[in-house]
């Protein structure tokens, strides 16, 4: 199997001010064509660090990527480091300069052309992939059988360069194995018990099929990855292995293809021709965001309301004020009435409600941070659950609860 090393260059990544999403995207793209990422390095904007890390990467892998550091300013040292490492010199490229002129002219920014002129400076021995969404081109150098790609740091520039130019290039240049991945989503069973239950099956897997346990909240994703020369044969082998799981944990399996729980629910709702609506308080719209992130969600998602203020639970969702007075706003009874009101408001088959305390302070009724009640109504049947998650920060709390609610709906619908 061919291998890769990714190098992210930038003080802003190391400081935590910027999240490195490029490495995740590149690794995913490489995996799909049978290239395994061995390591991801994050290093500062220092020439010595860049040269040293490139040296280490070239000893490890068949493909090396760098992202970031290719700014238009004269103090940028990334290209100097490349020239040092490859024992090359920088030259001015008329082709890139003309491309840059056209790019800036189309965006009515031709006045900054001279300020970006250094972007046309490239290694003399490099092949170039033009950047159609930015100013820094991608340089490609082959050294001792290893291919090197220098990418800018902006994600919307990285993605088309990788997908449209680099991946086809690698598929043409390298003899690659196929890699096929399947995800089996398992619910309502702790990871430790799951491992014991399927241990014999796991130990009997062929050597070219690997298994990973990926906990997501209270769900566990079993990721099966197979590599080999025949994609058709790999697909058949994975399907056969997954079939063997059903006698062991069939009641806990909610999906064998899709990865994200919101997409799994979307497929269920579409297949069953059901509609859904949400009434949220402590999740602040996160549930609606997840549900509508799925392409085609307009077929089943009718609408939602974030009834954050207590009076809006009463005014819009028709929660009885006496219920709030007797049981407090963060309670099983209020969650139930919110879901009922939501279902009546939007006329949906399924309605969801959440009420709780996301923190950092206690709720207005004195409930502890991390307390949440949620109700799922499917037709005339409803289920109300309570969670206590004091260890989660506010945004993590909102996401965890939303994921858990969707997972519970999937479990309920899978049993119908």
């Amino acid at each position: 199997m061919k291998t890769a090393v990714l190098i992210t260059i930038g003080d802003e990544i190391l400081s935590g001010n910027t999240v490195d999403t490029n490495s995740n995207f590149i690794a995913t793209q490489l995996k799909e064509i049978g290239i395994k990422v061995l390591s991801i390095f994050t290093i500062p904007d220092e020439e010595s660090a860049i040269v040293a890390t490139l040296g280490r990467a070239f000893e490890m892998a068949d493909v090396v990527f760098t992202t970031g550091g290719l700014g238009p300013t004269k103090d940028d040292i990334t290209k100097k480091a490349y020239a040092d490492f490859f024992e090359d010199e920088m030259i001015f490229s008329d082709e890139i300069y003309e491309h840059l002129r056209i790019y800036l002219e189309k965006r009515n920014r031709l006045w900054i052309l001279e300020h970006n002129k250094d972007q046309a400076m490239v290694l003399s021995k490099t092949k170039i992939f033009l950047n159609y969404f930015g100013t820094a081109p991608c340089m490609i150098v082959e050294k001792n059988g290893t291919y090197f790609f220098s990418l800018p740091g902006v994600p919307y520039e990285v993605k088309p360069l990788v997908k449209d130019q680099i991946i086809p290039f690698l598929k043409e240049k390298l003899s690659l194995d196929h890699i096929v991945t399947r995800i089996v989503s398992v619910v309502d069973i702790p990871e430790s018990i799951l491992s014991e239950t399927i241990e014999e099956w796991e130990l009997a897997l062929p050597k070219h099929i690997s298994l990973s346990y990926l906990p997501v909240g209270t769900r566990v994703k079993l990721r099966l990855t197979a590599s080999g020369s025949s994609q058709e044969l790999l697909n058949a082998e994975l399907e056969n292995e997954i079939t063997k799981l059903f006698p062991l944990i069939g009641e806990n399996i909610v999906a064998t293809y899709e990865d994200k729980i919101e997409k799994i629910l979307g497929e269920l709702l579409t297949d069953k021709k059901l509609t859904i609506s949400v009434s949220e308080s402590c999740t602040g719209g996160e549930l609606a965001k997840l549900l509508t992130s799925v392409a085609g969600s307009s077929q089943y998602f009718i609408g939602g309301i974030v009834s954050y203020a207590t009076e809006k639970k009463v005014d819009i969702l028709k929660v009885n004020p006496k219920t709030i007075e007797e049981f407090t706003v963060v309670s099983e009874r209020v969650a139930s009435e919110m879901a009922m009101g939501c279902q009546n408001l939007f006329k949906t088959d399924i309605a969801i409600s959440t009420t709780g305390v996301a923190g950092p302070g206690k709720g207005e009724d004195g409930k502890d941070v991390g307390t949440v009640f949620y109700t799922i109504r499917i037709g005339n049947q409803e289920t109300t659950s309570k969670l206590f998650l004091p260890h989660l920060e506010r945004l993590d709390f909102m996401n965890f609860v939303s994921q858990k609610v969707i997972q519970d709906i999937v479990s309920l619908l899978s049993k119908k």
Side-chain angles (χ1 to χ4, degrees):
M1 179 184 293
K2 300 298 183 181
T3 58
V5 167
L6 313 183
I7 304 171
T8 301
I9 303 170
D11 295 332
E12 71 280 2
I13 302 290
L14 290 169
S15 68
N17 291 330
T18 301
V19 178
D20 174 25
T21 60
N22 288 326
S23 294
N24 175 268
F25 173 78
I26 296 170
T28 300
Q29 293 294 309
L30 293 176
K31 179 183 67 177
E32 291 181 358
I33 63 169
I35 298 178
K36 180 181 180 180
V37 173
L38 297 178
S39 292
I40 300 174
F41 297 105
T42 303
I43 61 175
D45 292 292
E46 297 175 2
E47 186 172 353
S48 60
I50 296 171
V51 172
T53 309
L54 281 173
R56 186 175 175 185
F58 268 76
E59 292 176 354
M60 297 171 61
D62 304 294
V63 182
V64 175
F65 284 82
T66 60
T67 59
L70 298 175
T73 55
K74 294 185 183 298
D75 63 348
D76 178 66
I77 50 80
T78 309
K79 290 180 181 178
K80 297 176 185 176
Y82 294 158
D84 184 9
F85 178 78
F86 290 109
E87 299 178 339
D88 199 355
E89 62 178 349
M90 306 301 296
I91 61 169
F92 184 82
S93 168
D94 292 325
E95 177 191 7
I96 296 173
Y97 184 75
E98 178 61 14
H99 171 77
L100 186 61
R101 185 192 66 77
I102 294 171
Y103 173 84
L104 293 174
E105 186 176 36
K106 287 180 178 179
R107 287 156 181 78
N108 295 318
R109 294 175 63 82
L110 196 57
W111 60 275
I112 66 169
L113 178 61
E114 287 305 306
H115 297 279
N116 285 264
K117 190 174 181 179
D118 282 350
Q119 296 286 44
M121 297 295 294
V122 294
L123 296 169
S124 69
K125 301 172 185 176
T126 188
K127 175 180 172 62
I128 291 296
F129 285 152
L130 295 175
N131 181 355
Y132 296 99
F133 298 91
T135 60
C138 171
M139 293 184 287
I140 305 101
V141 180
E142 182 182 4
K143 180 178 180 180
N144 299 329
T146 293
Y147 286 99
F148 165 78
F149 301 91
S150 69
L151 288 165
V154 183
Y156 69 75
E157 297 178 28
V158 169
K159 290 180 178 180
L161 278 166
V162 172
K163 289 175 64 175
D164 300 337
Q165 300 190 71
I166 295 176
I167 292 298
F169 176 86
L170 290 173
K171 289 170 71 173
E172 178 185 343
K173 295 293 184 180
L174 302 178
S175 177
L176 301 172
D177 279 339
H178 292 282
I179 292 183
V180 179
T181 300
R182 287 280 296 274
I183 299 288
V184 179
S185 288
V186 182
V187 299
D188 301 328
I189 180 170
E191 184 181 357
S192 57
I193 303 300
L194 173 62
S195 177
E196 290 180 10
T197 305
I198 65 173
E199 181 179 11
E200 186 175 342
W201 168 85
E202 181 180 352
L203 293 174
L205 287 172
K207 289 184 178 181
H208 64 283
I209 299 179
S210 63
L211 175 69
S212 299
Y213 292 77
L214 307 173
V216 181
T218 59
R219 177 169 58 115
V220 179
K221 296 190 294 184
L222 298 176
R223 184 176 66 193
L224 287 156
T225 304
S227 59
S229 59
S230 170
Q231 187 171 7
E232 184 178 356
L233 180 59
L234 294 175
N235 280 318
E237 286 182 308
L238 288 182
E239 182 64 34
N240 180 56
E241 294 300 334
I242 291 171
T243 300
K244 296 176 184 177
L245 278 174
F246 278 88
L248 303 173
I249 54 169
E251 293 183 356
N252 304 100
I253 294 175
V254 295
T256 61
Y257 279 95
E258 191 48 69
D259 186 357
K260 296 183 177 180
I261 195 69
E262 59 268 27
K263 289 189 176 181
I264 295 171
L265 177 59
E267 291 181 357
L268 278 170
L269 294 174
T270 301
D271 291 344
K272 294 177 180 289
K273 295 182 172 55
L274 297 173
T275 55
I276 192 169
S277 58
V278 299
S279 52
E280 302 182 63
S281 186
C282 62
T283 47
E286 183 69 18
L287 260 172
K289 176 185 173 183
L290 286 171
L291 291 170
T292 56
S293 69
V294 180
S297 57
S298 59
Q299 296 180 52
Y300 50 82
F301 183 78
I302 304 304
I305 175 173
V306 181
S307 53
Y308 216 61
T310 299
E311 59 266 26
K312 296 308 175 185
K313 296 176 176 67
V314 175
D315 296 343
I316 300 174
L317 297 173
K318 308 306 179 186
V319 174
N320 192 328
K322 292 183 178 179
T323 303
I324 297 174
E325 183 179 347
E326 182 177 356
F327 298 98
T328 76
V329 71
V330 179
S331 64
E332 180 178 352
R333 289 289 294 273
V334 167
S336 174
E337 292 187 22
M338 285 175 64
M340 173 72 80
C342 181
Q343 193 173 43
N344 291 336
L345 179 64
F346 291 102
K347 311 300 181 188
T348 53
D349 301 301
I350 302 171
I352 316 164
S353 69
T354 63
T355 178
V357 187
K362 285 188 175 183
E364 61 187 53
D365 56 2
K367 287 293 196 310
D368 288 331
V369 173
T371 304
V372 58
F373 291 90
Y374 61 92
T375 295
I376 299 168
R377 281 188 63 86
I378 302 177
N380 295 321
Q381 298 180 330
E382 75 173 37
T383 303
T384 300
S385 303
K386 178 184 178 181
L387 294 173
F388 184 51
L389 307 164
H391 58 290
L392 294 181
E393 293 185 356
R394 184 179 180 85
L395 295 181
D396 294 331
F397 169 90
M398 296 165 78
N399 181 260
F400 183 98
V401 173
S402 300
Q403 294 272 348
K404 181 64 167 67
V405 172
I406 294 174
Q407 178 184 301
D408 283 6
I409 303 172
V410 168
S411 297
L412 290 167
L413 291 178
S414 297
K415 296 171 183 176
K416 287 185 176 290

